[in-house]
Amino acid sequence: MIEGLMLGLSTAFSIQNILMVIGGCLIGTFIGMLPGLGPMSIIAIMIPVAISIGDPSAALILLAGVYYGAIFGGSTSSILLNAPGVAGTVATSFDGYPMARQGKAGKALTIAAIASFAGGSLGAIYLMIFAPALSSVALLFHSAEYFALMVLGLSAIAAFAGSGQVGKAILMTLVGLILATVGEGALFNMPRFTMGLMDLQSGLSFITLAMAMFALPEALFLVLNPARSKTEGGGGKIDNLRITRAEAKAIAPVVGRQSVQGFFIGVLPGAGATIASFLGYAVERNLAPKKEQEEFGKGSVKGLAAPETANNAACTGSFVPLLTLGIPGSGTTAILLGALIALNVTPGPRLMIDEPQIFWSVIISMYLGNLVLLVLNLPLIPYIAKILAVPRNYLIPFILFFTLMGAYIGQNNATELLLLVGLGVCATILRFADYPLAPLLIGFILGRMLEDNFARSMQLYGGIDFIWERPMTLGLLVLAVGLVLLPGFRARRAKARAAGVADGD
């Protein structure tokens, strides 16, 4: 390991590879800020550039920089415009955008940058230490365990439900699961619920739904409620960029916990940054005292730090199955796997032995890349935050432009624009009726993976016997039930305590 580290250090700190890290981080950050242009799109475009470099280490360092740079930059549009273009930054908008509306955009971006840096850096250290051992753990997960993991992800709905809104949150999750069934199913290659439209055969686009649930209703709210648009956003003055000592003390344990949890979730093929961010948010809300729980969704610093730490740590963790097993854990790492094969590099258990300079240089470059991202982003925060200083009359068309552009670029057909408008109007009505929209998006994102893994498990075991035949599956499902029941239990216990105090008086 020491020899590998020294070889990785000498490779990663060459002039060429340092330039690759800086270039990849810059490209990824700015692409991540644009809704609709996620890491998958830009990595696919960058593959010919990477192959032309010739050096596999430099090529992979460049593509890896683009990957975690896009996740790092994706928080910006989520915080400032409530327009998450990357699935892994959806949870960031739950508390980041309310902070921006309260005139704390600079502080929100600072917390996001620090949490992202900490999550990515700690993830790189964990990767360096645990990669060989974790490759064997990842092999223990089969379709049954992934099904249970998706159920565990759906159990996070309890964290996104306000007081007395658990029923509404469950209903919205079911709507998301229903929308995930549009298109070809896992068991039969036949289109479902497409209403005869060929454009729906591949299912609804995440980008379209995310824009419809968050960005478009926000623009319509600004139009329908001009009084709010004048009072929110801090009057265009961008200040308060630093976090206080109390805030730093509050987010420090969150960063520590979520860097570990996010990394281990990222290690599991098929899990990734999205589930890590949702679960991170849910866990921290459940761990918080009752008074702090009420702040989640309204501008909580813990609610912002948790998903930002978890998604960046998960991005680093996703390289464990990619490099040690040759298993892509997500669409983005699948593209990276294709790039490795095109570069005549065979990822797998022998990669550390046959080509240690590639394995270790990528790990070292991740830490260097996170440092580069922090240095690049912190000085730019006052200028990025000035987006909120734009008068609302000009900001509304800006939001609408990026919303429509993001939806169109995702699928390259006009049907997406019609779906965007229709779903956006429905989302606005639901928002007026005080229905939480986050559970719908969670249900949609996890629904297809839930169905695919459940179908494979049913085919393999001939029924639902896999639930109790596989202890890990049963354990994950029990944990999911516990997460759903925990908020209700805590609420009843608080009522009992309050009644006891009243009787004592």
Side-chain angles (χ1 to χ4, degrees), residues 88-114:
T89 61
V90 170
T92 302
S93 64
F94 299 154
D95 282 283
Y97 185 66
M99 285 184 71
R101 284 189 355 217
Q102 294 163 15
K104 301 177 183 176
K107 179 173 287 192
L109 290 170
T110 301
I111 291 172
I114 293 171

Side-chain angles (χ1 to χ4, degrees), residues 315-340:
C315 285
T316 307
S318 67
F319 278 82
V320 172
L322 176 68
L323 296 176
T324 60
L325 300 175
I327 299 173
S330 63
T332 306
T333 49
I335 295 174
L336 287 171
L337 176 63
L340 281 171

